[in-house]
């Protein structure tokens, strides 16, 4: 599995709470339609005032090719355009990683 992991910073003009409402609400509804998306998770800091990032995004795909195709699609372009309205794109680190699961009690 290939995973896109990104630490997000909200755009100026958004409070942390406003950012979360948009990211986990309206934006998530669009993003969950990305073609080839296997898993989509968001994580938020428990103490947002003490950290420099507003959240962690994780998108999982079967391959790097599937990830690329997803973001080149019409939905992918819509996701990126929407995110640019409330995310300071490029302000946080972004990695494409190959995941190795060592423990998964959910299985």
């Amino acid at each position: 599995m290939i995973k896109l992991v990104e630490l997000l910073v909200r755009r100026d003009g958004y409070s942390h709470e406003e950012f979360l409402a948009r990211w986990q609400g309206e934006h998530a509804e669009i993003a969950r339609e990305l073609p080839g998306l296997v898993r989509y998770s968001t994580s938020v800091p428990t103490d947002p005032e003490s950290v420099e990032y507003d959240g962690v995004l994780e998108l999982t795909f079967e391959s790097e090719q599937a990830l690329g195709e997803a973001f080149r699609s019409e939905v992918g372009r819509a996701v990126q355009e929407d995110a640019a309205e409330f995310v300071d794109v490029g302000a946080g680190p972004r990695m494409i990683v190959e995941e190795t699961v060592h423990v998964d009690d959910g299985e």
Side-chain angles (χ1 to χ4, degrees):
M1 292 291 189
I2 295 297
K3 185 182 288 188
L4 168 68
V5 179
E6 188 166 1
L7 278 69
L8 302 180
V9 176
R10 68 184 183 270
R11 286 182 60 108
D12 289 340
Y14 278 83
S15 70
H16 179 73
E17 292 73 23
E18 291 168 332
F19 167 83
L20 291 182
R22 176 78 185 271
W23 182 38
Q24 294 182 322
E26 180 182 327
H27 182 75
E29 292 300 317
I30 300 167
R32 71 180 43 183
E33 299 302 322
L34 283 165
L37 185 62
V38 173
R39 187 167 190 272
Y40 172 26
S41 71
T42 60
S43 302
V44 298
T46 57
D47 184 6
E49 300 304 318
S50 68
V51 295
E52 60 185 295
Y53 303 108
D54 291 283
V56 180
L57 168 67
E58 295 181 272
L59 301 174
T60 304
F61 295 87
E62 290 289 335
S63 66
E64 284 191 63
Q65 180 179 344
L67 186 155
E69 289 171 359
F71 281 97
R72 286 189 297 272
S73 73
E74 185 176 328
V75 172
R77 290 188 299 276
V79 165
Q80 293 172 82
E81 289 171 13
D82 186 65
E85 293 180 13
F86 66 97
V87 175
D88 186 355
V89 177
R94 178 183 195 179
M95 295 186 304
I96 296 174
V97 299
E98 187 168 342
E99 180 180 52
T100 301
V101 177
H102 296 275
V103 174
D104 185 353
D105 286 343
E107 290 185 344

